[in-house]
Amino acid sequence: MSNESVFSSNAVYHYTALTNLENILREDGVKLWATRYGFLNDKREFVWANQVIQPELEKIAKQNGEVFDPERRVHPYILSFCDVENDPVMWRLYGNDGAGVCLTFDINEMGIHKEKMMAHMAVVYTNESNLREAIESAHRIYQQEDANVKFADDYREVAAFIKHKDYEIEQEYRVVKFVGDGFCSEYDPTKESNCEIKDLEYSEEIKFRPRGNMLIPYVEIMLPKTSLKEVHIGYNCNYESTKRAIELLSDLRGYNIRITKSSINNFTEK
């Protein structure tokens, strides 16, 4: 491909280990894992959401005449991206300290829609003192996405996109798959009364992977090949041989992607 940049504000970035790439670039699309809320690296996020965010969500929803059922189980499965290309912090935390890769996606080509019980938006960072404003702001943004399709309780879904300001350095962008009670297997906003409710929590869609002394529940998310635009090779990889291998892998599996070297390599080698 051309060396000219093909990206805009629609670009989001996924940092991962080089050993994951072969399993990500599949012949039928880009396969990524979305981890169940509550099993992410940041355990505080789940506790904070339940103890701080949910009571505020209930107040706001009731004031706005929204339905809020505290017994309804909603299980967000989260696929994390970053708004920043070639970020040293993200390379260190998620890109195997520069020995991994950074994948560039076009968010508009991912095919993420609420009809599929999925949503995407940038994480809103806040603290307790500004929580109500953050929730209202996130809710307005959330409603703009696929505005003609409304979940039964989208205030609860908004909670999956709110994090404490302590983690703002990650500048996270999330794709979320919602699984659990109260969702329709085939959603038609014009025929909601005929909607078949399906509880996916115990279906074959939920998979498990080991991590240390834990089992982590996740779901697979398949993205179109065309949504992947570029692979940045980390600064601690052998660039030439890794590039040749990725070119072969992408050719064999039908990808048309740009392959480049991380632009922060000179900084780290000093």
Side-chain angles (χ1 to χ4, degrees):
M1 295 181 64
S2 167
N3 288 329
E4 295 180 4
S5 176
V6 294
F7 315 116
S8 65
S9 58
N10 297 327
V12 291
Y13 308 92
H14 184 75
Y15 296 79
T16 189
L18 187 60
T19 52
N20 295 332
L21 192 61
E22 191 273 337
N23 194 47
I24 291 174
L25 302 186
R26 312 304 295 175
E27 292 184 359
D28 54 345
V30 183
K31 183 173 74 174
L32 294 171
W33 292 351
T35 302
R36 178 171 161 148
Y37 200 56
F39 291 84
L40 302 170
N41 293 335
D42 174 15
K43 299 299 188 297
R44 176 183 173 185
E45 176 182 354
F46 182 69
V47 174
W48 191 66
N50 279 275
Q51 295 181 353
V52 180
I53 295 179
Q54 180 161 315
E56 193 65 24
L57 286 173
E58 293 184 25
K59 295 178 186 177
I60 296 173
K62 289 178 181 178
Q63 289 173 2
N64 293 343
E66 299 282 348
V67 177
F68 193 99
D69 182 1
E71 299 301 321
R72 178 169 166 265
R73 294 181 297 127
V74 177
H75 308 287
Y77 285 72
I78 294 171
L79 172 56
S80 295
F81 296 87
C82 179
D83 275 336
V84 183
E85 180 181 17
N86 275 318
D87 182 74
V89 174
M90 300 305 291
W91 274 116
R92 187 176 70 251
L93 293 177
Y94 302 105
N96 198 20
D97 200 17
V101 290
C102 171
L103 309 179
T104 303
F105 291 88
D106 187 329
I107 194 70
N108 289 339
E109 296 189 29
M110 286 185 176
I112 304 300
H113 302 291
K114 286 186 180 178
E115 290 93 338
K116 299 179 181 179
M117 302 306 142
M118 300 175 70
H120 63 88
M121 62 180 276
V123 167
V124 175
Y125 295 94
T126 186
N127 51 36
E128 287 83 347
S129 61
N130 296 315
L131 181 58
R132 174 174 282 262
E133 292 82 357
I135 292 173
E136 293 286 16
S137 174
H139 189 245
R140 285 193 297 271
I141 298 170
Y142 189 78
Q143 287 184 314
Q144 292 172 7
E145 299 292 337
D146 299 320
N148 294 326
V149 181
K150 182 177 175 60
F151 285 165
D153 179 8
D154 60 15
Y155 268 104
R156 190 186 298 275
E157 280 80 52
V158 165
F161 297 95
I162 297 176
K163 293 189 69 172
H164 198 277
K165 285 184 71 68
D166 287 352
Y167 298 91
E168 195 168 12
I169 192 171
E170 294 185 350
Q171 301 183 67
E172 187 177 356
Y173 194 101
R174 285 184 168 178
V175 170
V176 179
K177 170 76 171 179
F178 295 101
V179 176
D181 293 350
F183 288 134
C184 302
S185 58
E186 295 182 2
Y187 187 91
D188 184 343
T190 66
K191 302 177 181 178
E192 189 167 359
S193 60
N194 297 326
C195 189
E196 177 188 354
I197 302 299
K198 182 179 181 183
D199 185 354
L200 298 177
E201 179 60 12
Y202 304 105
S203 75
E204 294 180 359
E205 182 177 6
I206 310 300
K207 301 180 184 297
F208 296 84
R209 69 179 187 271
R211 186 177 71 195
N213 61 352
M214 297 175 60
L215 272 179
I216 308 298
Y218 72 96
V219 296
E220 294 179 350
I221 293 181
M222 296 295 294
L223 301 176
K225 289 181 178 180
T226 54
S227 66
L228 178 60
K229 302 299 183 181
E230 182 171 15
V231 175
H232 299 276
I233 298 174
Y235 47 84
N236 279 328
C237 293
N238 183 313
Y239 175 69
E240 293 300 333
S241 63
T242 302
K243 181 181 180 183
R244 289 196 300 272
I246 295 176
E247 287 174 340
L248 178 59
L249 175 62
S250 62
D251 287 345
L252 289 173
R253 297 191 176 174
Y255 287 83
N256 182 24
I257 53 178
R258 185 183 182 203
I259 302 172
T260 61
K261 187 176 183 181
S262 168
S263 61
I264 65 170
N265 63 323
N266 291 332
F267 171 79
T268 59
E269 289 174 357
K270 288 182 178 179

